[in-house]
Amino acid sequence: MLSATTPSPDLAAIEAAATRIAPHAQHTPVLRSRSLDALAGASLLFKCENFQRAGAFKFRGACNAVWSLDEATAARGVVTHSSGNHGAALALAARTRGVAAHVVVPEGAVAAKLAAITAAGAVLHRCAPTMAAREAMAEAVRVQTGASLIHPYTDPRVIAGQGTLALELLQEVGPLDVLVAPIGGGGLIGGCAIAAHGIDPRIEIHGAEPLGADDAARSLRSGTRVTELAPQTFCDGLRGLIGAINFELLRAHSVQVTTLHDAATFAALRLIWERLKILVEPSSAIALAAVLAQRERFAGKRVGIVLSGGNVDLDACLAGLAPLSIKSRDGG
């Protein structure tokens, strides 16, 4: 079991991960919008992980973890629990290496994400929509199959893989004043903070979190990690609770967290669809929402914004279902 005492990856580990995943991962584009710059009063650079394989940044961490395994271990396969994006990413990463993947999925997961997991060839295992149920079933599958557990956000190999995103962004666009990323379990922002501060310690790291799933913000305020919360947000990828190692990374890198109502995130989502002309999911749009909600704080700065993924349930959208009606309460 990983904990706050588990060693965190460093910049060297992230650079090694970048080399390891290069044959498999996409180098995703950075987009700009003059109209969004004007709205924010800042220079916004959008790192578009919706163009990543499996449709989200999660492929980076999953790919690094899978290809870090020795041959004998990899041959026994991998297992994880996930509401969608990490599961799809791990399934695809396992396929690139020709090994089995098992994904434990909570009830209520987005249909498009479940389809991606099965399309990549993973074995689905359904469970109740609680973190305890997910972890229990993943452990049972691990014992039964001998597969290696690849946790969605506390595995240092996953964190290092996610950090390649920030490394890639900074190498392409040069210096940033601020980097803003969504916070769910904390693997993305933790890896990005390590990479960004390994290159330039002056970069401010900001996290964006739903008000209905604000365990990271509460944890930072109290100094103690929140381990019990029933998330209520339409950002389905941000319903996971902050991990122990991830919480320590937030503190070590002085990450500032902004919490937002879903209405603000939905407004930002529409802006991205309208102005950037790209499809992203709500968990991505929250990063832009955080910048727009605090115009004075970011005014005049070069701001990197992580658009974490684009796996939207189009059938639900086209059927006219309101995003705020999504009922699932567990994520990853």
Side-chain angles (χ1 to χ4, degrees):
M1 179 67 69
L2 293 162
S3 69
T5 60
T6 302
S8 300
D10 55 14
L11 180 60
I14 292 172
E15 291 171 335
T19 299
R20 187 176 294 116
I21 71 175
H24 311 287
Q26 297 281 11
H27 183 114
T28 54
V30 177
L31 296 185
R32 302 290 307 272
S33 167
R34 291 180 181 177
S35 63
L36 291 178
D37 283 357
L39 276 177
S43 297
L44 308 181
L45 300 104
F46 295 90
K47 182 61 169 168
C48 298
E49 287 294 293
N50 53 310
F51 294 112
Q52 186 53 260
R53 294 186 70 179
F57 77 93
K58 294 279 191 177
F59 182 74
R60 294 175 181 270
C63 187
N64 187 51
V66 166
W67 283 94
S68 295
L69 300 173
D70 62 59
E71 290 294 335
T73 303
R76 295 193 292 272
V78 291
V79 60
T80 194
H81 55 80
S82 168
S83 64
N85 279 344
H86 176 69
L90 187 66
L92 182 57
R95 194 172 73 184
T96 68
R97 195 164 180 184
V99 302
H102 299 267
V103 181
V104 174
V105 179
E107 296 171 3
V110 174
K113 297 181 179 181
L114 294 181
I117 294 171
T118 55
V123 178
L124 279 180
H125 304 265
R126 300 298 188 102
C127 72
T130 67
M131 190 58 69
R134 286 167 50 156
E135 291 177 344
M137 183 167 286
E139 175 62 12
V141 173
R142 186 194 68 79
V143 171
Q144 180 182 9
T145 64
S148 295
L149 176 66
I150 308 296
H151 193 277
Y153 45 84
T154 65
D155 190 311
R157 299 163 298 186
V158 169
I159 295 171
Q162 319 307 25
T164 64
L165 181 161
L167 187 67
E168 197 173 280
L169 173 62
L170 289 165
Q171 288 172 343
E172 180 172 347
V173 306
L176 292 175
D177 297 306
V178 186
L179 181 61
V180 185
I183 296 183
L188 171 61
I189 199 160
C192 285
I194 294 167
H197 283 164
I199 294 171
D200 183 355
R202 298 170 298 177
I203 297 174
E204 297 176 18
I205 310 297
H206 287 258
E209 185 175 49
L211 191 61
D214 62 345
D215 55 293
R218 293 189 192 189
S219 298
L220 289 173
R221 284 197 301 268
S222 68
T224 302
R225 184 171 67 97
V226 172
T227 57
E228 292 186 14
L229 181 70
Q232 299 186 50
T233 174
F234 83 124
C235 298
D236 65 286
L238 304 182
R239 295 176 186 146
L241 300 183
I242 193 80
I245 185 174
N246 314 97
F247 176 51
E248 294 306 320
L249 285 172
L250 294 186
R251 298 207 293 185
H253 291 274
S254 301
V255 175
Q256 302 175 57
V257 178
T258 299
T259 57
L260 297 118
H261 290 283
D262 278 354
T265 300
F266 187 57
L269 181 66
R270 291 197 60 168
L271 281 172
I272 292 170
W273 288 353
E274 292 170 355
R275 307 295 175 86
L276 291 180
K277 310 299 183 187
I278 59 174
L279 185 66
V280 299
E281 56 191 276
S283 300
S284 295
I286 195 170
L288 174 60
V291 174
L292 296 178
Q294 303 171 92
R295 198 175 190 277
E296 309 80 17
R297 188 176 198 174
F298 299 100
K301 296 182 178 180
R302 278 173 57 84
V303 183
I305 295 180
V306 178
L307 297 181
S308 53
N311 293 317
V312 177
D313 190 341
L314 289 176
D315 288 338
C317 290
L318 292 174
L321 298 179
L324 296 179
S325 72
I326 295 174
K327 300 298 186 184
S328 172
R329 295 194 173 194
D330 194 33

